[in-house]
Amino acid sequence: MLLSSSVWRDNARWWFSGGLLLGGLTTAAVAVVVGSLVRPVVPTVLAAMLMGGLFLVVAGQEFGLYRLRLPQNARQVPQTIVTADSRYGPLQFGFEMGTGVRTYMTSGLPHILVLGLLLLVPWDVALASGIAFGGGRAWMALSRLWHGDVDAWDYAQRRYDRLTRIVLTVGTGALLVAILLIAGT
C-alpha cells in the first residue's frame, strides 16, 4: 500500500499532512470567495432550502437508496507524485487529496460542506471547515501509519465496515444538526 511504503518514513508524512491541510484550506477559501459573489443575490431562506435539498439527495445516496454519479475527478493521484521528491511529492499529493479535486470522493457529504461554504458561512467558519476537512484526511492517514501493524488496522477497517449503517446514521444526523444551526444563525 502506498502509505506504508518507504517514502512515507521520516518527514514525508508531515509534508503530506501539511499538503492535506493546505488543500482543505485552499478549497474553503475558493468556495467562500466565490460564495461572496453569490450570497448577496441568494436569500438565506433559499440557501437553506438548497442545503436541505442537497442533504436529502446525499443522505439517500449514503444510505444506498440509489446510486448517483458524484461530481468528482475520479482518478487516483499517480504514485509518481509521491516518489518524486521526499518533500515536494508528498506535499503535492497531500494538497491534491486535501482539495478533494483530484481524488475519489467515496461520500457525497463533502459536497454539502462546499455548498454551505458557498451559500451560508462566514470567512472564519469557512476556513476552519477547510482545515477540518484536510485535518480529517490527515488524521486517517497518520493514524494508520502510527498504528504500526497495518494488518491489524485493515482488520479493524473491515470490522468498521460492518458498522457503516450506524456510523452513517450518526454522521448524517450530526450534519443535519450542523446545517440547521448554520441556517438558524
Side-chain angles (χ1 to χ4, degrees):
M1 170 126 204
L2 186 63
L3 293 178
S4 61
S5 69
S6 62
V7 174
W8 292 96
R9 292 189 185 117
D10 304 324
N11 292 327
R13 70 186 77 171
W14 300 112
W15 287 99
F16 173 68
S17 298
L20 286 165
L21 292 170
L22 286 174
L25 189 59
T26 300
T27 299
V30 168
V32 81
V33 166
V34 171
S36 67
L37 301 173
V38 174
R39 266 183 241 120
V41 297
V42 176
T44 306
V45 172
L46 178 59
M49 288 172 53
L50 289 170
M51 289 287 298
L54 182 59
F55 173 81
L56 292 174
V57 169
V58 169
Q61 156 89 13
E62 296 297 316
F63 285 105
L65 299 176
Y66 43 80
R67 288 301 280 157
L68 297 175
R69 185 171 166 89
L70 297 173
Q72 64 180 334
N73 185 356
R75 293 183 298 154
Q76 292 285 11
V77 175
Q79 190 167 1
T80 55
I81 288 175
V82 177
T83 58
D85 181 319
S86 64
R87 291 186 182 128
Y88 179 71
L91 179 68
Q92 181 182 353
F93 179 39
F95 181 80
E96 291 179 6
M97 268 190 82
T99 62
V101 172
R102 192 174 173 188
T103 59
Y104 287 100
M105 298 293 280
T106 58
S107 171
L109 295 175
H111 295 86
I112 298 172
L113 174 62
V114 170
L115 186 62
L117 297 177
L118 284 168
L119 298 177
L120 294 172
V121 301
W123 278 90
D124 55 345
V125 175
L127 297 180
S129 297
I131 290 171
F133 180 77
R137 286 189 151 204
W139 176 253
M140 191 63 166
L142 289 172
S143 61
R144 185 172 191 267
L145 286 170
W146 289 330
H147 189 271
D149 184 355
V150 294
D151 291 331
W153 175 271
D154 291 341
Y155 173 74
Q157 180 64 41
R158 285 190 298 276
R159 283 193 355 236
Y160 163 78
D161 288 344
R162 288 186 223 128
L163 300 173
T164 299
R165 188 67 98 188
I166 295 168
V167 172
L168 277 174
T169 302
V170 171
T172 304
L175 183 60
L176 177 61
V177 169
I179 290 169
L180 293 173
L181 288 173
I182 289 169
T185 60

